[in-house]
């Protein structure tokens, strides 16, 4: 079972920042998960919420700020004074950093509330530019984004995100030409889902698994990967 640091190492570091991704790598995670939105001037940036208020010292919509304006904000102090001065990364910064490691990279396109123009194209071109198409999985709760991703790139891995009991999701995923299932963790405990996905040869990756007992369960029940805010803890448990 693979371990993805969710938003980096969001339990210990400010989510979706370089220092959080670095911590996930240091902890021995196999991959990182990060959330992508677009700035006003169309730059893919790494931040979970459509609004700045929760995780920065800014307010309002990400989409209304230029990349330069977003870069002025503090994305660490909300978490702890220790991280004051931490900035919102661009996707490009993460991809440049990823040149120096072998982590898997799950890019979650946040296209559910804001329909960012050409976000799929912009993200894929950057991933191609840095030669990372083989290490990237693109996921979204908006499955139209996955269809668009597949239209643009025939082989890059994609995965449907879903949170409830979608019926036979491995069949549905094929209708949007996705390669994997990223589900809310309770779904990854359904035997019928585990069996069906296994028979279809489709990986199940569960978010967000922070409880030790759940980590242990998923390490043996056939789940392919977990996303966790606590990669160090998950790695320690996996080592036994
Ligand atoms: O990609 C897995 C997980 O991150 C999906 O939910 O809200 O944490 O982005 P969220
Ligand atoms: Mg996410």
């Amino acid at each position: 079972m693979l371990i993805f640091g969710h938003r980096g190492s969001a339990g210990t570091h400010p989510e979706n920042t370089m220092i959080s991704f670095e911590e996930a790598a240091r902890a021995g995670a196999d991959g990182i998960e990060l959330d992508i939105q677009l700035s006003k001037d169309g730059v893919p940036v790494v931040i979970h919420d459509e609004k700045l208020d929760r995780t920065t010292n800014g307010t309002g919509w990400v989409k209304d700020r230029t990349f330069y304006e977003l870069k002025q904000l503090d994305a660490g102090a909300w978490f702890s004074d220790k991280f004051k001065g931490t900035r919102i990364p661009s996707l490009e910064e993460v991809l440049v950093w990823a040149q120096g490691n072998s982590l898997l990279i799950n890019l979650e396109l946040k296209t559910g509330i804001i329909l960012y123009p050409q976000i799929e194209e912009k993200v894929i071109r950057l991933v191609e530019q840095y030669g990372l198409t083989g290490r990237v999985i693109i996921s979204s709760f908006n499955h139209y984004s996955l269809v668009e991703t597949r239209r643009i790139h025939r082989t890059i891995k994609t995965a449907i995100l879903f949170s409830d009991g979608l019926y036979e999701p491995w069949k549905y995923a094929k209708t949007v030409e996705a390669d994997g299932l990223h589900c809310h963790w309770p779904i990854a405990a359904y035997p019928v889902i585990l069996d069906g996905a296994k028979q279809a040869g489709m990986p199940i990756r569960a978010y967000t698994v922070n409880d030790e007992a759940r980590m242990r369960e998923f390490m043996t029940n056939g789940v392919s990967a977990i996303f966790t805010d606590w990669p160090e803890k998950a790695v320690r448990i996996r080592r036994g």
Side-chain angles (χ1 to χ4, degrees):
M1 190 204 72
L2 298 178
I3 296 165
F4 282 75
H6 184 238
R7 311 181 194 174
S9 178
T12 57
H13 289 67
E15 64 182 56
N16 283 320
T17 63
M18 291 311 303
I19 200 165
S20 188
F21 302 132
E22 285 160 9
E23 169 56 17
R26 187 207 61 76
D30 305 291
I32 53 170
E33 186 263 3
L34 47 144
D35 303 293
I36 309 292
Q37 321 243 5
L38 286 190
S39 67
K40 186 178 180 182
D41 45 347
V43 178
V45 289
V46 183
I47 183 167
H48 178 272
D49 299 1
E50 288 73 19
K51 287 191 161 182
L52 297 161
D53 304 56
R54 183 178 62 86
T55 60
T56 76
N57 61 345
T59 57
W61 301 96
V62 173
K63 70 173 178 57
D64 290 339
R65 304 295 185 94
T66 63
F67 180 60
Y68 178 81
E69 288 168 340
L70 292 173
K71 271 291 182 190
Q72 309 313 306
L73 301 175
D74 188 307
W78 70 277
F79 188 84
S80 154
D81 274 352
K82 203 170 104 184
F83 297 108
K84 203 169 166 211
T86 302
R87 303 291 158 188
I88 297 172
S90 63
L91 170 60
E92 187 165 16
E93 278 175 80
V94 177
L95 300 179
V96 167
W97 169 77
Q99 307 290 291
N101 60 53
S102 55
L103 292 173
L104 297 168
I105 306 162
N106 177 204
L107 304 176
E108 182 187 346
L109 305 184
K110 286 292 186 194
T111 49
I113 294 173
I114 310 291
L115 295 174
Y116 293 107
Q118 274 96 52
I119 188 171
E120 299 85 4
E121 177 93 29
K122 288 173 194 285
V123 167
I124 292 164
R125 296 305 168 223
L126 274 174
V127 171
E128 284 180 331
Q129 186 182 329
Y130 289 97
L132 290 168
T133 48
R135 275 165 57 192
V136 163
I137 303 164
I138 293 185
S139 64
S140 186
F141 284 104
N142 181 347
H143 303 165
Y144 288 90
S145 265
L146 303 178
V147 171
E148 179 62 3
T149 297
R150 181 60 68 239
R151 188 188 68 74
I152 296 165
H153 198 289
R154 293 313 300 166
T155 58
I156 199 164
K157 292 274 186 286
T158 62
I160 58 166
L161 270 162
F162 60 107
S163 58
D164 293 305
L166 193 61
Y167 185 67
E168 299 187 336
W170 52 90
K171 289 187 183 167
Y172 166 71
K174 286 182 182 164
T175 70
V176 295
E177 297 187 66
D179 311 286
L181 308 173
H182 289 190
C183 63
H184 190 208
W185 65 263
I187 308 290
Y190 292 11
V192 66
I193 296 266
L194 287 164
D195 289 350
K198 187 176 175 187
Q199 282 182 25
M202 195 163 284
I204 299 189
R205 309 185 185 99
Y207 69 86
T208 301
V209 184
N210 291 336
D211 177 73
E212 287 202 22
R214 285 288 170 196
M215 287 178 182
R216 288 180 203 285
E217 176 186 346
F218 291 151
M219 281 172 198
T220 55
N221 79 345
V223 164
S224 301
I226 59 166
F227 301 97
T228 178
D229 294 328
W230 302 89
E232 185 173 29
K233 179 165 78 173
V235 168
R236 177 170 36 81
I237 290 170
R238 186 173 61 179
R239 281 200 192 113

